[in-house]
Amino acid sequence: MTVKHLSSRTYVIVWLALMALTLVSYLLSLAHLGPADVVAALLIATVKTVLVLLFFMHLIEQRFANALPVLVAALLLGLLLTLMITDVTARGTTSVAPLPPASPPRAAPAPP
């Protein structure tokens, strides 16, 4: 069985896409989006990971049986991340700042 390899043009396009995603990730880090920072960074990292797996690790050229372990690992990682996020958000245990003193401290009595 002969495997058709991708052209050099495809690799250059994928590399340019990876560079563009890196630039977008950097620019988003400067935007300070609050909680959306993490979501955006994880989405961009996921897209970049999929591009590397498919094109530079040649999974797009292989049979599905060769890509199955990577797919199963990604699904298990997603499951574990989901369970972890659910656990952390369900606990409701956040650190509480110390309370200020109820009354100002008393001054030491003046010597007689």
Side-chain angles (χ1 to χ4, degrees), residues 81-97:
L81 283 173
T82 303
L83 290 173
M84 179 192 67
I85 291 169
T86 304
D87 180 46
V88 169
T89 56
R91 287 183 188 191
T93 55
T94 56
S95 60
V96 179

Side-chain angles (χ1 to χ4, degrees), residues 6-76:
L6 298 172
S7 68
S8 298
R9 181 175 181 251
T10 303
Y11 289 116
V12 170
I13 291 171
V14 172
W15 181 78
L16 288 173
L18 289 170
M19 292 299 109
L21 286 169
T22 301
L23 179 64
V24 168
S25 179
Y26 172 71
L27 293 175
L28 280 177
S29 74
L30 297 177
H32 302 295
L33 302 175
D37 271 343
V38 175
V39 174
L42 286 176
L43 286 175
I44 292 171
T46 302
V47 171
K48 288 168 56 176
T49 301
V50 168
L51 286 174
V52 169
L53 286 172
L54 289 177
F55 293 98
F56 293 109
M57 294 182 71
H58 306 285
L59 290 182
I60 202 164
E61 301 170 358
Q62 301 297 318
R63 295 183 317 202
F64 180 71
N66 292 342
L68 187 61
V70 175
L71 181 63
V72 170
L75 289 174
L76 286 175

